[in-house]
Amino acid sequence: MQLYSFFNSSTSYRVRIALALKGLDYDYKDINIRVGEQKADDYRMLNPSQGVPLLVEDDGTALSQSMAIIDYLDETRPEPRLLPAEPLARARVLELANAIACDMHPVNNLRILGYLKSKIGASEEQKNDWYHHWIAEGFAAVESLLERHGRGPYCFGEAPTLADCCLVPQVANAERMGCDLSPYPRVMAVYAHCQQQPAFQQAAPSRQPDFIA
């Protein structure tokens, strides 16, 4: 199995966490999205979305999009499960995970921030204001969901789920961008707990072969 990844991509980070939690080995294939390697012809043939992550199975099956990859891994390598079998518990995990993956990440990813600067002419300060605004709005919602439905050291109990796979990379990026995360104590408690777990440590950006300090 191969994972095309970039150390600082939060979507790649999600999949690395899932792979580590499931104890799955893979070959790491670095794609530097900062310099446009995702747009190369040979990579575009593998992944028309021109992004990361991309998972390639031993039989050549290629799958992009982090949420699809993690769902696929959960169905094909079901232990430990990252999406509960019970319908409401599963929906709660997806509710929080999608609040991050659908509401927060898409408006703050590299291509959007690049477009703000190169096409719209936003200054660095304006770009940062944009990022901080959507992080604050998104984490306010996530904090509320955790207060209503969360429990235990992880988002939903004593074991990690897809929600934790999404939360940790988003917090890491927000910290890197200098966001004030003090209004979200439940979010930060989950993040701190996850940071102490070996699988999350293994998946961290600083532990990847393409890490750039």
Side-chain angles (χ1 to χ4, degrees), residues 96 138-150 184 186-187:
L96 192 145
F139 273 140
V142 171
E143 182 76 8
S144 180
L145 289 172
L146 288 173
E147 289 173 352
R148 293 181 184 187
H149 309 298
Y184 322 112
R186 184 74 178 93
V187 167

Side-chain angles (χ1 to χ4, degrees), residues 102-149:
C102 298
D103 292 346
M104 295 178 70
H105 173 261
V107 295
N108 277 339
N109 66 21
L110 184 64
R111 67 177 69 179
I112 296 300
L113 297 179
Y115 188 89
L116 288 174
K117 292 193 70 175
S118 65
K119 300 296 184 181
I120 298 179
S123 66
E124 187 70 14
E125 181 180 4
Q126 289 171 321
K127 184 198 78 171
N128 289 336
D129 285 346
W130 169 281
Y131 188 97
H132 289 204
H133 169 80
W134 295 113
I135 286 292
E137 188 165 296
F139 273 140
V142 171
E143 182 76 8
S144 180
L145 289 172
L146 288 173
E147 289 173 352
R148 293 181 184 187
H149 309 298

Side-chain angles (χ1 to χ4, degrees), residues 10-11 14 67 93-108 134-135 138-139 141-143 145-146 155 162-171 187:
S10 60
T11 50
R14 292 173 197 162
M67 303 295 271
V93 169
L94 287 170
E95 180 181 33
L96 192 145
N98 285 324
I100 295 171
C102 298
D103 292 346
M104 295 178 70
H105 173 261
V107 295
N108 277 339
W134 295 113
I135 286 292
F139 273 140
V142 171
E143 182 76 8
L145 289 172
L146 288 173
C155 289
L162 173 63
D164 303 281
C165 294
C166 291
L167 182 144
V168 166
Q170 195 64 65
V171 172
V187 167

Side-chain angles (χ1 to χ4, degrees), residues 29-41:
K29 303 291 185 180
D30 57 288
I31 298 292
N32 190 334
I33 60 176
R34 289 181 182 169
V35 300
E37 289 181 358
Q38 74 276 19
K39 298 179 181 179
D41 290 342

